[in-house]
């Protein structure tokens, strides 16, 4: 879900990174949905050339996906096909997380991988030849040394699934299943419902993504200077996964060099969302249980990471106690834990609904952990913004799954009825509560007010407020930096006296605002991406 302030925030990000013209095209697509080139030109009132260039920029940086839409023709006519463009708002929001992605890569891989990955983030998507050109421009070593280093770094990044092949440039979005052939069996009917439930963005992305064997397959190096040693190691350095997958996608040798100039690579955001979600879940659990339980949960995350394919999987792959213990003792902290301690920790995790157990097979309940994190985040906001009394009343309603009457709320929270009513009205006006009036007729008519927290509605409201806050922080940071542009560009030897003090002040302001942005983005991830 993208809220109104989420749209404004996304447009602001594009404006800051690529300018007003590109942002105008982007906003048009966000607000109007998929459009043809002709309609984008008409709605934005820009020239065709300006729109084309803006779309090329957005596509290059993975913010827009082109696709061919099949539509029914008129009477007696066949299907019609036209190219449309759809904006990928999530990819725009991910641009503020590039520093987090880089930290993950730098923690696991070497500096050459980090440099190569940073280039992909900067340019959006690159071919192997473009990566080689960038590396050769920055290195004094021989071309063959640079070439081998770049290919080796790319292989490491692809093996870790941090980099993937780009999706098809213009996938075909065929007519929906129900329009092609009406279902005759009950089984097919359920497929029809699933098809209808998919958004057009999901359908486009599903059609564009390469199949798994091709998505993480590295092109072999067939250049004449590769050497015999390179040929001997081809089977281990060319592919990711089983050799049979490579055999299916291996290009002809005579076309290998050409493929390196055609196949585009980009950062695999899905993999980084896995990492960030796992990290967030571990931190949420850390606030509630001891280090032993956190160590066991971390081990379960590591053991199931490779098996997870979808970012929003609610439960991890089930593991036996023995498998969990084997993973636990791989870490330094886990080596201090006994088998019985691991069992006890699993019991702790299960009592808090962080882990589910079926026939001695344990799986992480990501949905339960994320919901707990969201609830605590909202409660923290209410406490800081309104006060302790308001927090107590809100927490009571948040923990209840039914409507509560004003008198009961007053009694349970030990608050005066008049104060309780004022607090409830205040929270209701701020969209934190849902209220219903019930009129009871009898010997005399009476009215009751019932209150409830509807979590999904509330979470959407809180997310919109977070996007609003992120937009304000980003604009404030841009203002502060623009105001001191001359000072920031001044050579360090000329920043003395008052200028040095002023420079140090703007550094502190920048550091504070950027730190606040990152913390706020952690909360946005919790409500929007996990």
């Amino acid at each position: 879900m993208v809220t109104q302030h989420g749209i404004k925030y996304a447009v602001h990000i594009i404006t800051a990174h690529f300018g007003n013209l590109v942002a105008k095209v982007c906003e048009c697509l966000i607000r109007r949905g998929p459009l043809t080139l002709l309609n984008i030109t008409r709605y934005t009132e820009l020239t065709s050339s300006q729109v084309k260039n803006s779309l090329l920029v957005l596509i290059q940086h993975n913010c827009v996906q082109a696709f061919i839409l099949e539509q029914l023709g008129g009477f007696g006519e066949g299907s019609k096909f036209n190219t449309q463009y759809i904006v990928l708002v999530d990819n725009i929001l991910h641009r503020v997380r590039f520093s987090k992605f880089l930290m993950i890569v730098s923690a696991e891989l070497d500096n050459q991988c980090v440099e190569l990955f940073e280039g992909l983030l900067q340019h959006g998507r690159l071919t192997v030849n473009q990566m080689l050109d960038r590396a050769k421009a920055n290195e004094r070593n021989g071309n063959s040394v640079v070439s081998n280093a770049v290919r080796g770094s790319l292989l490491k990044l692809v093996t870790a699934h941090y980099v993937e092949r780009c999706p098809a440039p213009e996938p075909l979005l065929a007519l929906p299943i129900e329009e092609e052939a009406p279902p005759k069996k009950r089984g097919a009917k359920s497929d029809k419902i699933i098809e209808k439930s998919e958004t057009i963005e999901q359908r486009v992305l599903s059609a564009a993504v390469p199949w798994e064997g091709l998505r993480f397959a590295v092109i072999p190096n067939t250049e004449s200077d590769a050497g015999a040693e390179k040929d001997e190691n081809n089977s281990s350095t060319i592919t990711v996964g089983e050799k049979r997958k490579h055999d299916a996608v291996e290009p002809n040798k005579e076309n290998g060099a050409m493929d390196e100039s055609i196949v585009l690579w980009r950062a695999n955001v899905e993999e980084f969302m896995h990492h960030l979600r796992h990290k967030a879940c571990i931190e949420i659990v850390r606030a509630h249980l001891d280090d032993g339980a956190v160590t066991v949960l971390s081990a379960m995350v590591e053991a199931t990471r490779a098996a997870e394919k979808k970012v929003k999987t609610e439960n991890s792959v089930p593991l036996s106690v023995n498998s969990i213990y084997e993973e636990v003792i791989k870490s330094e902290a886990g080596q201090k834990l006994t088998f019985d301690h691991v069992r006890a920790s699993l019991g702790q995790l299960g009592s808090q609904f962080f882990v589910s157990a079926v026939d001695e097979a344990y799986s992480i309940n990501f949905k339960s952990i994320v919901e707990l994190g969201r609830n605590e985040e909202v409660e923290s906001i209410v406490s800081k913004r309104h006060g302790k009394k308001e927090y107590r009343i809100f927490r009571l309603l948040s923990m209840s799954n039914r409507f509560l009457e004003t008198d009961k709320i007053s009694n349970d929270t030990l608050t005066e009825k008049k104060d309780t009513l004022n607090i409830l009205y205040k929270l209701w006006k701020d969209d934190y509560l849902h209220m219903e009036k019930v009129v009871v007729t009898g010997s005399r008519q009476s009215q009751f007010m019932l209150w409830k927290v509807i979590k999904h509605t509330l979470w959407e409201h809180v997310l919109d407020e977070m996007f609003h806050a992120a937009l304000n922080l980003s604009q404030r940071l841009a203002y502060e930096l623009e105001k001191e542009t001359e000072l920031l560009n001044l050579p360090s030897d000329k920043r003395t006296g008052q200028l040095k003090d002023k420079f140090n002040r703007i550094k502190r302001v920048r550091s504070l605002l950027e730190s606040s942005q990152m913390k706020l983005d952690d909360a946005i991830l919790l409500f929007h991406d996990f």
Side-chain angles (χ1 to χ4, degrees):
M1 58 184 171
V2 182
T3 64
Q4 285 303 309
H5 281 108
I7 292 172
K8 292 178 182 178
Y9 183 44
V11 173
H12 170 76
I13 292 170
I14 294 298
T15 305
H17 290 191
F18 306 117
N20 292 326
L21 281 179
V22 178
K24 191 170 185 178
V25 171
C26 180
E27 184 172 12
C28 176
L29 287 171
I30 292 176
R31 297 195 179 278
R32 294 183 177 272
L35 294 171
T36 62
L37 178 64
L38 185 64
N39 282 334
I40 298 171
T41 305
R42 181 159 61 93
Y43 290 133
T44 58
E45 298 181 352
L46 299 174
T47 65
S48 178
S49 176
Q50 288 174 324
V51 171
K52 284 181 182 177
N53 290 335
S54 297
L55 286 172
L56 285 173
V57 170
L58 291 167
I59 291 170
Q60 172 69 26
H61 290 274
N62 308 301
C63 298
V64 161
Q65 173 68 50
F67 65 98
I68 299 171
L69 182 67
E70 180 183 4
Q71 295 176 310
L72 289 173
F75 181 74
E77 297 179 355
S79 298
K80 294 182 178 180
F81 301 88
N82 59 64
T83 300
Q84 297 195 12
Y85 301 87
I86 186 168
V87 70
L88 308 176
V89 179
D90 285 354
N91 282 3
I92 296 173
L93 298 176
H94 289 324
R95 295 188 64 80
V96 301
R97 296 163 187 150
F98 283 176
S99 60
K100 294 179 180 178
F101 298 169
L102 275 170
M103 286 179 65
I104 293 171
V105 173
S106 62
E108 295 188 18
L109 302 175
D110 56 42
N111 289 335
Q112 288 182 328
C113 292
V114 174
E115 289 177 12
L116 181 60
F117 185 72
E118 192 171 9
L120 281 171
L121 293 181
Q122 182 182 349
H123 295 281
R125 45 180 72 184
L126 294 171
T127 64
V128 173
N129 285 354
Q130 289 171 331
M131 296 178 204
L132 290 171
D133 291 341
R134 289 184 73 256
K136 289 171 184 177
N138 297 329
E139 291 288 339
R140 295 181 181 179
N141 296 324
N143 285 351
S144 61
V145 176
V146 174
S147 176
N148 292 339
V150 168
R151 287 188 173 87
S153 297
L154 178 62
L155 179 65
K156 290 178 185 177
L157 288 164
V158 175
T159 302
H161 285 198
Y162 292 145
V163 167
E164 64 178 353
R165 290 197 185 202
C166 289
E170 291 187 8
L172 173 64
L173 201 64
L175 290 170
I177 292 174
E178 63 267 26
E179 291 181 17
E180 292 174 356
K184 296 180 180 180
K185 297 181 180 179
R186 293 186 67 183
K189 201 169 185 179
S190 61
D191 292 338
K192 179 180 174 180
I193 294 170
I194 293 171
E195 183 75 19
K196 278 188 174 182
S197 67
E198 284 188 327
T199 64
I200 189 167
E201 180 178 332
Q202 290 170 331
R203 291 180 63 202
V204 170
L205 292 178
S206 296
V209 68
W211 57 278
E212 197 72 11
L214 182 62
R215 186 181 174 192
F216 300 108
V218 181
I219 302 169
N221 176 23
T222 56
E223 292 179 0
S224 58
D225 63 349
E229 184 177 347
K230 191 83 174 178
D231 294 334
E232 291 175 3
N233 295 329
N234 258 351
S235 61
S236 62
T237 59
I238 291 173
T239 63
V240 177
E242 297 118 351
K243 189 175 186 301
R244 67 176 179 273
K245 290 184 179 179
H246 163 62
D247 293 339
V249 298
E250 182 178 11
N252 296 328
K253 289 184 178 180
E254 60 188 20
N255 294 330
M258 182 183 71
D259 285 340
E260 288 199 342
S261 65
I262 293 176
V263 175
L264 288 162
W265 299 89
R266 68 174 187 178
N268 177 18
V269 173
E270 183 179 281
E271 184 66 25
F272 291 102
M273 288 297 103
H274 276 294
H275 278 264
L276 293 174
R277 184 178 69 159
H278 293 158
K279 180 183 175 183
C281 287
I282 289 169
E283 292 307 312
I284 291 168
V285 172
R286 193 187 302 279
H288 292 268
L289 299 177
D290 59 27
D291 291 341
V294 174
T295 301
V296 171
L297 184 74
S298 300
M300 292 179 70
V301 165
E302 288 301 320
T304 59
R305 192 189 299 277
E308 279 192 78
K309 297 297 180 185
K310 297 181 181 179
V311 177
K312 294 186 179 179
T313 306
E314 292 183 359
N315 289 80
S316 69
V317 176
L319 295 170
S320 67
V321 182
N322 290 331
S323 299
I324 295 170
Y325 182 68
E326 286 176 15
E327 189 67 35
V328 166
I329 58 177
K330 289 180 182 179
S331 66
E332 186 178 345
Q335 290 170 5
K336 301 174 185 177
L337 302 181
T338 64
F339 190 82
D340 289 339
H341 198 156
V342 171
R343 269 194 176 280
S345 295
L346 287 170
Q348 280 185 296
L349 291 164
S351 66
Q352 297 284 336
F353 303 105
F354 298 150
V355 165
S356 303
V358 179
D359 297 330
E360 287 292 301
Y362 297 86
S363 58
I364 304 169
N365 191 343
F366 288 116
K367 182 180 178 182
S368 177
I369 299 173
V370 169
E371 283 190 5
L372 175 62
R374 289 173 178 173
N375 291 337
E376 291 180 339
E377 188 70 35
V378 176
E379 288 171 7
S380 176
I381 292 171
V382 172
S383 178
K384 291 175 182 176
R385 183 177 297 179
H386 295 287
K388 292 183 178 179
K389 286 184 179 179
E390 288 80 355
Y391 164 75
R392 285 205 311 272
I393 290 174
F394 176 82
R395 182 171 170 78
L396 172 69
L397 287 164
S398 180
M399 294 176 69
S400 174
N401 293 322
R402 57 193 179 87
F403 281 96
L404 297 180
E405 201 266 327
T406 308
D407 287 341
K408 179 168 177 54
I409 296 170
S410 177
N411 294 333
D412 289 353
T413 57
L414 303 177
T415 310
E416 292 281 345
K417 184 175 179 180
K418 184 178 178 182
D419 292 340
T420 302
L421 200 54
N422 289 335
I423 290 169
L424 288 168
Y425 267 122
K426 191 195 302 182
L427 292 172
W428 173 70
K429 287 179 71 176
D430 284 350
D431 293 324
Y432 281 78
L433 297 181
H434 178 73
M435 182 257 288
E436 286 190 8
K437 293 181 180 179
V438 177
V439 178
V440 179
T441 56
S443 56
R444 63 176 186 175
Q445 183 172 303
S446 56
Q447 178 177 283
F448 296 93
M449 282 182 289
L450 302 178
W451 310 86
K452 186 180 180 181
V453 172
I454 300 179
K455 289 186 177 179
H456 289 287
T457 304
L458 173 61
W459 289 341
E460 185 172 352
H461 170 67
V462 170
L463 177 62
D464 191 53
E465 288 187 331
M466 288 177 176
F467 279 132
H468 193 185
L471 176 62
N472 289 341
L473 274 173
S474 187
Q475 290 175 333
R476 174 66 185 274
L477 178 59
Y479 168 77
E480 292 288 347
L481 295 179
E482 184 179 359
K483 188 174 65 172
E484 305 295 347
T485 302
E486 291 184 11
L487 177 61
L488 292 171
N489 293 333
L490 203 64
S492 56
D493 57 333
K494 293 186 179 180
R495 290 196 295 261
T496 59
Q498 289 185 346
L499 288 178
K500 187 175 181 179
D501 293 339
K502 199 173 182 182
F503 178 76
N504 289 334
R505 186 199 72 83
I506 193 62
K507 275 184 65 178
R508 288 194 299 271
V509 170
R510 179 177 187 172
S511 177
L512 178 63
L513 290 174
E514 287 180 345
S515 175
S516 299
Q517 276 185 310
M518 289 299 100
K519 288 179 181 177
L520 184 56
D521 185 63
D522 288 340
I524 290 173
L525 279 166
L526 193 63
F527 284 84
H528 182 260
D529 297 271
F530 300 159

